[in-house]
Amino acid sequence: MPQDPKFELNKSRYDLNTFMGRFYHNMDIIDPLTLFVSDAKLKQCVQLLDDFKNGTLSASVSDKQLWEAQKIKQSTLHPDTGEKIFMPFRMSGYVPFNSPILAGLLMPNPTIAQTIFWQWLNQSHNACVNFANRNATKPTQMSTFLQGYTGAVTAAISISVGLSLMLKKVSNLAPATKSMIQRFVPLPAVMTASTLNVLLMRKHECNEGIDVLDKNGQVIGTSKVAAKKALTEMAISRAALPIPLLAIPPIVMTMLEKTALLKKNPRLHMPFNILVCSVTFFFALPATIAIFPQMSEVRTQDLEKDIQEKTNDQVVFYNKGL
């Protein structure tokens, strides 16, 4: 990774104009080690950043300490509300808490009941992660959350069960081929449901707009155009995430199942499955989030007239959420 540059408050130590810069930045955000930071340490980090902002920081504090403090704050607290995000729903908790669910989704030859359970559990976790990391400049009604959740669960279960039943009716495929295809059934179901989840949960933003900020971080107005752009970027990212997560592990596990180790010890299948899912997830999550910057920009001339009249900046910024 690149070496630490001079610290800048609310900036990244990496170049967010590049994909790799955003990738390294997101690796910081999803670092599971931040889950073990105590409340006292978090408070200390926030105080360090406040001292830096107020010009009262001790000269003995290094840039590395400040970057680490900001990393902990950003991975734990919501950027809009400043409130602590519940551990399983933080981006840093996404990999360790969702990997076992992914392993369940990728079980070989699942029953219909197992398919329904794992799809429900996966979309329940995804819905909570979406809600916890939403753009919170405008309030989200619980009815909107429930609508998104219900739509996602219904879509995931309907598609996965439907494809499974169709596959069982196919008679001209060898059992091994059927088993291989079955492992990829969760992919279209999760892609569709994940996209639908975020669209339904955040569609109110298109009607109400989201805050846009100038280059100094000051809110200059509310824009529906920026909201639509943020929602489009989120939908693309969420549709892209399941592709490596649900395509790579089945291929790897198919190869591992042919080894003598797993043939002699079938009980090791699930631990290996979870391990493969975790490693894939650990790299795929920051990569798909990095497709678009979290604090995205839009040309002022493309926004509403009232926004254009309030600033001379060529571009303004908005938090698209994670």
Side-chain angles (χ1 to χ4, degrees):
M1 284 190 181
Q3 293 185 342
D4 295 324
K6 185 172 177 58
F7 180 75
E8 292 184 81
L9 187 64
N10 296 326
K11 301 289 184 179
S12 176
R13 73 181 85 183
Y14 308 110
D15 182 4
L16 298 185
N17 292 316
T18 67
F19 174 81
M20 287 309 300
R22 293 193 294 272
F23 176 80
Y24 285 129
H25 174 76
N26 292 331
M27 288 287 282
D28 273 356
I29 292 176
I30 71 161
D31 184 356
L33 295 178
T34 61
L35 296 173
F36 302 100
V37 172
S38 65
D39 288 340
K41 177 64 175 179
L42 175 62
K43 186 176 180 180
Q44 180 184 1
C45 291
V46 173
Q47 186 61 53
L48 274 180
L49 297 175
D50 287 343
D51 289 346
F52 178 88
K53 181 179 180 180
N54 298 326
T56 58
L57 185 69
S58 169
S60 63
V61 179
S62 66
D63 287 325
K64 183 176 182 179
Q65 288 175 292
L66 288 169
W67 284 122
E68 186 65 20
Q70 185 160 269
K71 168 185 173 178
I72 291 171
K73 179 183 177 182
Q74 290 180 339
S75 63
T76 308
L77 305 180
H78 193 284
D80 293 329
T81 66
E83 296 178 356
K84 193 173 183 180
I85 300 174
F86 185 45
M87 188 182 294
F89 307 147
R90 297 176 199 168
M91 296 309 293
S92 57
Y94 206 1
V95 173
F97 284 97
N98 199 259
S99 292
I101 299 175
L102 283 177
L105 284 171
L106 296 171
M107 288 174 57
N109 303 313
T111 64
I112 295 300
Q114 288 172 333
T115 297
I116 292 173
F117 171 75
W118 289 113
Q119 288 289 354
W120 165 78
L121 188 59
N122 183 54
Q123 291 307 319
S124 296
H125 186 242
N126 286 343
C128 291
V129 171
N130 283 344
F131 184 81
N133 294 280
R134 72 197 182 283
N135 181 309
T137 58
K138 298 295 178 183
T140 300
Q141 299 297 324
M142 185 54 64
S143 59
T144 302
F145 170 77
L146 293 175
Q147 184 181 42
Y149 171 67
T150 303
V153 170
T154 301
I157 292 176
S158 299
I159 294 173
S160 58
V161 171
L163 290 176
S164 296
L165 292 176
M166 287 175 58
L167 189 59
K168 288 183 178 180
K169 292 181 180 180
V170 176
S171 57
N172 59 346
L173 290 176
T177 304
K178 273 191 177 183
S179 179
M180 183 62 181
I181 296 175
Q182 177 68 49
R183 293 189 173 191
F184 289 94
V185 165
L187 180 55
V190 174
M191 283 183 66
T192 303
S194 296
T195 305
L196 186 62
N197 191 324
V198 71
L199 290 176
L200 289 175
M201 281 187 60
R202 295 180 55 179
K203 68 175 184 178
H204 68 285
E205 295 176 9
C206 292
N207 298 322
E208 301 171 4
I210 58 174
D211 288 350
V212 291
L213 300 79
D214 61 19
K215 60 186 177 183
N216 298 316
Q218 299 299 314
V219 176
I220 57 175
T222 301
S223 171
K224 295 180 182 179
V225 175
K228 291 177 181 178
K229 192 169 184 289
L231 199 54
T232 300
E233 292 170 347
M234 276 296 301
I236 293 173
S237 295
R238 288 306 169 92
L241 179 59
I243 296 175
L245 297 186
L246 296 174
I248 295 175
I251 296 173
V252 175
M253 288 305 300
T254 298
M255 293 187 292
L256 289 177
E257 285 166 0
K258 296 177 182 178
T259 63
L261 178 62
L262 286 189
K263 285 182 177 179
K264 293 180 180 179
N265 303 277
R267 291 183 179 181
L268 292 178
H269 184 280
M270 182 56 78
F272 268 85
N273 199 357
I274 293 175
L275 177 61
V276 172
C277 287
S278 298
V279 173
T280 305
F281 206 168
F282 186 73
F283 291 101
L285 180 59
T288 51
I289 298 175
I291 295 174
F292 302 104
Q294 181 178 356
M295 293 303 297
S296 295
E297 64 179 48
V298 59
R299 294 187 304 175
T300 307
Q301 67 183 48
D302 295 334
L303 300 180
E304 295 86 345
K305 289 293 183 182
D306 62 311
I307 301 290
Q308 297 180 32
E309 294 170 355
K310 293 178 181 178
T311 180
N312 294 320
D313 293 349
Q314 295 296 311
V315 296
V316 292
F317 305 88
Y318 59 90
N319 175 20
K320 75 169 178 62
L322 283 174

